[in-house]
Amino acid sequence: MFGRIDHIGVAVEDLNAAIALYEQSFEMTLAHRETVEDQGVEAVLLDVGEGHVELLAPLGPDTAVGKFLARKGKGLHHVAYAVDDIDATLEQLTAAGIELIDAKPRVGIRESRVAFLHPRSTGGVLTEIVEPAGGH
Ligand code: CO
């Protein structure tokens, strides 16, 4: 069902400080930076092998990531798996009894299509599936 790990999402308070850590200490290359209004974040992708680290800074305290930071503090936020056909995968997951946060895909970073699965039904791991732009 899942092709590979597309990225891991990390919630950060200070985006530039986090970028410096990943660029300078981990020698990752910054690939993309974007404000995703729909998700209430400023997001950055850094390359690591075929996958990415996605750094997420909230646009405000009332956003999903803002609330996460207030509740749990900075750190690992979600894991994202790449899929070829997100619509078909969402149907499969629904049939398997997985609780969806997004019943329908929405636009994610770099014009991907994404949907989140509720951690209640994924063993406590906020899980994203992503169909990269041009992936299907
Ligand atoms: Co993500």
Side-chain angles (χ1 to χ4, degrees):
M1 184 182 295
F2 299 153
R4 59 182 168 79
I5 292 175
D6 184 82
H7 64 267
I8 57 156
V10 178
V12 307
E13 289 163 353
D14 182 337
L15 190 56
N16 288 323
I19 290 168
L21 171 70
Y22 279 80
E23 280 189 322
Q24 290 162 26
S25 302
F26 299 159
E27 299 184 343
M28 290 187 196
T29 302
L30 198 156
H32 185 75
R33 184 168 184 156
E34 179 180 341
T35 297
V36 187
E37 296 280 353
D38 188 48
Q39 292 179 32
V41 292
E42 185 173 7
V44 156
L45 292 174
L46 298 117
D47 291 331
V48 54
E50 290 186 355
H52 302 92
V53 174
E54 181 182 66
L55 303 177
L56 301 163
L59 296 179
D62 289 335
T63 61
V65 174
K67 289 174 188 165
F68 177 91
L69 284 174
R71 205 170 61 244
K72 295 192 172 173
K74 60 188 178 181
L76 209 52
H77 183 259
H78 66 270
V79 59
Y81 298 100
V83 301
D84 288 335
D85 183 340
I86 195 169
D87 301 292
T89 303
L90 284 174
E91 279 181 29
Q92 273 183 278
L93 290 168
T94 301
I98 300 294
E99 186 180 345
L100 308 178
I101 292 174
D102 301 303
K104 290 186 172 176
R106 46 186 165 141
V107 177
I109 196 166
R110 284 205 287 203
E111 298 184 359
S112 55
R113 298 173 73 219
V114 306
F116 284 87
L117 318 181
H118 203 288
R120 267 198 296 267
S121 62
T122 57
V125 179
L126 179 59
T127 301
E128 176 184 1
I129 55 174
V130 51
E131 180 187 303
H136 176 67

